[in-house]
Amino acid sequence: MHPNCVASVTKAAGRALSASEIKRIDDRMNETMRRLARKDPKAWMAKPVDQRVLEAAQLAMQDIRAEAARKVQNAQRQVLATVDTSNRIAALKSSMDVGQSRALVEDMNNTSLYIDGIKKQYTGGLMDLISAAGSMQGAGIGRKALMALFDAQNPQMTKDLVAEIFANGKGGTGNKIAADGAKAWLETIETMRARFNAAGGDVGKLDYGYLPQPHDSGRIRDAGPNKWAAKTIGLLDRSQYLREDGSRMNDAEVMDLLRGAHETLATEGLNKQEPGAFKGPGARANRGSDSRVLHFKDGEAYLAYNREFGLGSMYDAMISHIGGLSKNIGLVERMGPNPNQQFRLQQDLAERMDNGLKRSFGHKPQTYWDILSGTAGTPASARVAAVGQHIRNIQTMGKLAGAVISSITDIGTIAVTTGYNKLPYWDMLKNTITAGGKEAKEFANAHGMVADSMINDLNRWQGEHIANNWSGRLANSTMRLSLMNAWTDTLRRGFSMTMQAGLGKLSGKTWAQLSEWDRSHLGRKGITEADWAVVNQAQLTDYRGQKMLTPEAIAASGDPRANEVTAKILGFITDESEYAVINPDLATRAWSTAGALQSGKAVGEIGRSVMQFKSFPIAMISRHWRRLLEGDRGLDGAPLLANKAAYTAALLLTTTALGAIAFQTKQMLQGKDPVDMTTGKFWSRAAAQGGGAGFVADILFSDTTQDRGQTDSISRLLLGPSWGSLADIYELTKGNIDEALAGKDTHVGAEALKFAKGHLPYINL
């Protein structure tokens, strides 16, 4: 900054300014001048220097005033959110008759449902994008096979889609599918951006179509600053890189800028952290407020960079962006612009009121918060996380190819959940039978019931998202060919549609007219009397003679709170569908991440490997066993299955009987004789197979062979499949060498074949 300017700024401030303050002011002025220059570089360059400085100063002053006003508004929002959060926790504490710590955890669980509802709501608007991503238009036979088996992209469709997005839907590709997909994407993210900002966020809008840029820090780090900058500079839109006077930066200046960006990307932002400074996340309302450094000249340049330095596919990045925005919106709307501050406050209150924080399902509130806020899932090291994920993906592809046989027990949990929600069994059966058809799929997807597999969400079995890398593609492909995806999607879709129809019938009743049970059931999922008043105004959607409560039905009410209520209703439906066809809840995710250990750290990856495949039995305990133990709580209008004895009988009888069928089926598929069904041991195994007794029963009733002792079998079950693989490798190598030296038969060929069978895709389909 010019000395005269420093003197003027100091005089205006009325005090001496530090060097860092002077630098921040100078940086802000320079950025503001460059921002003004980008609007019309020629006109900006034609203005005198004093005029440019004056206009930049005026705009900077407006920005500062707007930021100050937003800070005041967000402080007010935070106070109101504190009142709302405290009231929600108090209501849960009263209705559930639990302590403050447990009520806090339940509120976080409801916030998780709210976030899921937001994600479902907006993913439902992306059907044209998902159709474009899966379109085989113009693809050859080989490419179609790759797309069907491995989620490979259609290169021409991807190229056209990116071109349309960068051009804000006016790319002129002539590809209607791509144009419609781009329009769906742009409209959805703009709607979400506006909603986030309305809740206190600060995310600007680019003058070209936005696409998220996933960076592979490992590849960027390996390339080094000079090589990375040299490969990137030719892909950039140089009109975005201007000096303060409006002239374009030369190559040397842009290279310097890129070298600075390289350090941030290669270290995943660690270079910006001051030693000793607090490293907790800032206000979530400020997420997305940072300026973008890389501006690609067109879609082809974006794709070229992604091939060289990207992480996963473009579609992965887009869906992840929707998930991230949903989380940000949900947390800010529920807990205020600074959710971390809100959690710390509520946790302190819980600690004081409970005389120390209490555990819920084995974990303290902090564990649940680390899962909910995303702290546990944000890799400390992308490379370490990738290695751990590859190992778990290999276990998935080798050991879950026959999981659809085990999933026959879903019929039991879906029947129990239908009765618990007082839904008609016949309607559930009818909707489930038709749910696999094209018409039902299109209806469900368009109305917020998007199938998990459509967005590669296989966390039911894996415990986390399977990334679009080589092992992830093989795992996804194996699960798809096993018909696991089709089975799960169909059952969950059929149940969700039955829930929408059931809520449609209830929507005609006021809150006071609902039974005591219904009010309690809705209230526990965070749906209040005020929310239900909005539902009463919904214009129900007709589907095959059934009146459905859909997002569009709620939006048609015209109520200003329609978006909030939609998220709650979709979250409620999604949660109940995941009781019906079991999916991990927040409590299960706490266990499956070994207590919210951070991804990308050795201990976190080991913990996830130990807990792999345990999500299903843990979710059975977390969901159904806890629901069973609560009973009907003496409420009027409770269904028969809210009775503890009835729920126990229904759950154990159905899952055990279906577990017996699954167990015998797997015996025969493995070339073995059916097991004698007259023994107690058989029915113990059937109960374990059905999930009702959890993985503890797997340990207690595990079958041991002559070459594997009970201790070995139990350790494999307790420490996870990766430990078992490590033990098998040891036996294949050191164990067989020792046996050979001792003159014993090694059976190395049979053991190697068995090992390969348990780790290769498709073999066990």
Side-chain angles (χ1 to χ4, degrees):
M1 186 180 290
H2 192 278
N4 290 340
C5 293
V6 173
S8 298
V9 170
T10 302
K11 183 179 179 181
R15 64 177 176 84
L17 299 176
S18 66
S20 62
E21 288 177 316
I22 293 293
K23 186 178 186 306
R24 283 199 299 270
I25 293 170
D26 192 33
D27 289 344
R28 185 172 198 124
M29 281 291 293
N30 290 339
E31 174 54 35
T32 304
M33 293 176 77
R34 289 192 291 269
R35 182 153 48 101
L36 287 168
R38 280 193 286 269
K39 294 180 178 179
D40 190 343
K42 289 184 179 180
W44 182 254
M45 291 174 67
K47 293 178 180 180
V49 174
D50 290 348
Q51 180 67 23
R52 293 199 295 263
V53 173
L54 178 61
E55 290 185 21
Q58 290 172 339
L59 181 57
M61 180 66 72
Q62 292 175 18
D63 290 343
I64 290 170
R65 286 173 177 163
E67 289 170 9
R70 192 173 71 85
K71 285 182 179 179
V72 172
Q73 291 172 349
N74 279 353
Q76 295 170 342
R77 289 186 178 104
Q78 193 70 20
V79 171
L80 293 174
T82 298
V83 174
D84 288 342
T85 304
S86 298
N87 288 340
R88 293 196 309 267
I89 292 172
L92 288 166
K93 185 178 178 181
S94 175
S95 66
M96 299 181 68
D97 191 25
V98 295
Q100 191 80 6
S101 299
R102 171 69 188 280
L104 172 58
V105 169
E106 288 303 315
D107 186 66
M108 284 192 280
N109 187 62
N110 286 341
T111 299
S112 178
L113 299 183
Y114 188 72
I115 292 168
D116 285 344
I118 293 172
K119 185 177 180 180
K120 293 280 187 180
Q121 180 182 357
Y122 290 110
T123 306
L126 292 175
M127 286 304 103
D128 284 337
L129 172 66
I130 293 174
S131 296
S135 173
M136 296 185 180
Q137 176 177 294
I141 295 176
R143 173 59 59 170
K144 288 179 179 178
L146 290 174
M147 291 177 69
L149 287 174
F150 306 115
D151 288 326
Q153 297 179 26
N154 181 341
Q156 187 58 50
M157 184 62 68
T158 300
K159 179 180 176 182
D160 289 348
L161 180 61
V162 176
E164 293 289 350
I165 290 174
F166 263 77
N168 284 310
K170 301 176 182 177
T173 62
N175 187 333
K176 186 177 185 306
I177 295 175
D180 289 344
K183 182 180 178 182
W185 166 255
L186 293 169
E187 288 179 351
T188 297
I189 61 169
E190 175 56 23
T191 302
M192 296 183 78
R193 185 187 75 87
R195 180 170 175 177
F196 180 56
N197 285 352
D202 182 26
V203 178
K205 185 179 181 180
L206 296 170
D207 54 8
Y208 56 89
Y210 174 80
L211 271 173
Q213 296 169 357
H215 302 280
D216 188 328
S217 60
R219 286 196 280 178
I220 292 172
R221 189 164 50 247
D222 290 345
N226 291 324
K227 183 178 179 181
W228 177 81
K231 287 195 171 188
T232 302
I233 191 171
L235 304 173
L236 302 178
D237 176 5
R238 297 296 289 272
S239 68
Q240 297 284 342
Y241 301 87
L242 304 178
R243 301 188 185 98
E244 289 75 15
D245 64 359
S247 61
R248 294 193 178 189
M249 293 181 179
N250 59 35
D251 287 353
E253 290 170 314
V254 177
M255 286 290 286
D256 283 342
L257 185 70
L258 291 175
R259 291 189 192 99
H262 174 274
E263 186 179 4
T264 300
L265 295 173
T267 63
E268 300 182 53
L270 292 178
N271 65 306
K272 292 186 176 181
Q273 292 185 359
E274 296 181 16
F278 174 64
K279 293 179 173 58
R284 193 168 287 262
N286 294 328
R287 297 284 176 91
S289 60
D290 294 336
S291 298
R292 179 172 243 188
V293 176
L294 301 183
H295 299 271
F296 296 109
K297 58 187 176 183
D298 53 31
E300 288 192 36
Y302 169 90
L303 291 173
Y305 178 88
N306 210 39
R307 285 192 295 270
E308 187 81 16
F309 299 110
L311 184 66
S313 74
M314 176 189 75
Y315 300 110
D316 282 336
M318 295 168 85
I319 292 301
S320 294
H321 182 68
I322 295 296
L325 267 177
S326 299
K327 185 181 290 291
N328 289 342
I329 291 170
L331 288 175
V332 169
E333 288 186 348
R334 292 270 293 183
M335 304 182 74
N338 196 333
N340 291 284
Q341 181 189 77
Q342 184 71 254
F343 169 73
R344 289 194 298 271
L345 170 63
Q346 298 299 336
Q347 181 175 240
D348 289 345
L349 290 172
E351 186 171 18
R352 182 190 306 169
M353 297 175 74
D354 289 349
N355 294 317
L357 291 170
K358 307 302 181 185
R359 294 178 181 272
S360 177
F361 203 63
H363 295 290
K364 290 185 177 180
Q366 183 67 54
T367 299
Y368 292 97
W369 178 249
D370 289 343
I371 297 290
L372 178 62
S373 64
T375 302
T378 303
S381 166
R383 282 192 167 182
V384 173
V387 170
Q389 191 176 65
H390 281 310
I391 292 171
R392 293 190 293 278
N393 286 344
I394 290 170
Q395 299 297 339
T396 297
M397 72 177 75
K399 294 179 172 61
L400 292 185
V404 70
I405 304 299
S406 300
S407 294
I408 192 174
T409 57
D410 289 338
I411 296 172
T413 53
I414 198 172
V416 169
T417 310
T418 298
Y420 188 85
N421 282 277
K422 300 195 294 188
L423 300 173
Y425 283 99
W426 174 250
D427 287 353
M428 182 273 292
L429 179 62
K430 182 172 60 176
N431 287 329
T432 302
I433 290 172
T434 60
K438 182 180 179 181
E439 182 183 356
K441 287 180 183 178
E442 291 177 350
F443 177 87
N445 291 339
H447 293 86
M449 294 296 111
V450 183
D452 287 346
S453 65
M454 295 188 73
I455 53 175
N456 290 331
D457 184 5
L458 294 183
N459 64 352
R460 176 184 185 192
W461 297 102
Q462 180 68 5
E464 58 191 66
H465 176 67
I466 295 180
N468 195 0
N469 49 35
W470 67 266
S471 63
R473 291 188 182 197
L474 285 172
N476 277 329
S477 174
T478 302
M479 297 302 285
R480 182 185 298 112
L481 291 177
S482 75
L483 303 182
M484 186 70 235
N485 291 354
W487 171 265
T488 301
D489 292 346
T490 299
L491 290 184
R492 199 171 287 158
R493 186 184 299 118
F495 180 84
S496 298
M497 293 173 69
T498 308
M499 278 286 291
Q500 287 181 316
L503 288 170
K505 292 177 182 177
L506 278 184
S507 68
K509 296 182 179 181
T510 65
W511 187 258
Q513 291 171 334
L514 294 175
S515 70
E516 192 178 11
W517 169 266
D518 288 332
R519 291 196 298 269
S520 175
H521 192 34
L522 292 166
R524 286 190 170 205
K525 299 298 176 68
I527 299 170
T528 65
E529 183 175 359
D531 298 329
W532 196 253
V534 177
V535 171
N536 290 149
Q537 304 172 54
Q539 306 297 310
L540 300 180
T541 304
D542 184 80
Y543 177 73
R544 291 188 170 186
Q546 299 182 82
K547 297 295 183 181
M548 304 276 201
L549 182 64
T550 63
E552 289 69 25
I554 298 172
S557 69
D559 192 281
R561 295 184 60 249
N563 269 335
E564 179 186 346
V565 174
T566 295
K568 289 185 176 183
I569 293 295
L570 284 178
F572 175 44
I573 294 172
T574 299
D575 191 47
E576 287 301 318
S577 76
E578 293 177 352
Y579 272 89
V581 183
I582 292 190
N583 215 35
D585 56 3
L586 199 62
T588 305
R589 295 207 298 273
W591 279 101
S592 63
T593 55
L597 294 175
Q598 188 176 9
S599 170
K601 290 184 176 180
V603 65
E605 297 306 319
I606 291 171
R608 283 164 170 77
S609 294
V610 168
M611 296 306 297
Q612 189 177 17
F613 302 153
K614 295 181 175 68
S615 289
F616 183 91
I618 292 173
M620 175 67 81
I621 298 169
S622 172
R623 289 186 179 276
H624 286 285
W625 287 24
R626 288 212 289 186
R627 177 168 277 184
L628 179 158
L629 292 172
E630 287 180 350
D632 59 21
R633 306 184 300 281
L635 299 175
D636 291 335
L640 174 63
L641 281 181
N643 176 275
K644 291 182 181 180
Y647 201 103
T648 302
L651 185 65
L652 290 182
L653 286 174
T654 56
T655 57
T656 300
L658 291 163
I661 296 172
F663 180 78
Q664 295 287 47
T665 302
K666 290 198 291 186
Q667 284 288 112
M668 292 185 285
L669 286 173
Q670 293 169 12
K672 301 176 182 179
D673 290 333
V675 174
D676 181 4
M677 296 175 65
T678 64
T679 65
K681 187 175 182 180
F682 169 81
W683 290 106
S684 299
R685 289 177 177 175
Q689 182 67 61
F695 69 90
V696 174
D698 286 338
I699 297 171
L700 295 175
F701 303 112
S702 59
D703 187 25
T704 59
T705 62
Q706 293 180 350
D707 62 344
R708 181 180 298 169
Q710 186 76 16
T711 301
D712 187 10
S713 298
I714 291 175
S715 66
R716 289 168 184 264
L717 287 163
L718 285 176
L719 299 178
S722 296
W723 167 263
S725 296
L726 191 62
D728 286 339
I729 291 172
Y730 178 86
E731 290 298 327
L732 271 172
T733 54
K734 179 72 164 55
N736 280 305
I737 291 172
D738 289 345
E739 288 179 348
L741 291 175
K744 298 180 180 179
D745 292 335
T746 62
H747 306 294
V748 64
E751 290 176 5
L753 184 63
K754 183 178 179 181
F755 181 84
K757 188 172 182 288
H759 295 83
L760 292 176
Y762 313 127
I763 301 297
N764 298 313
L765 283 173

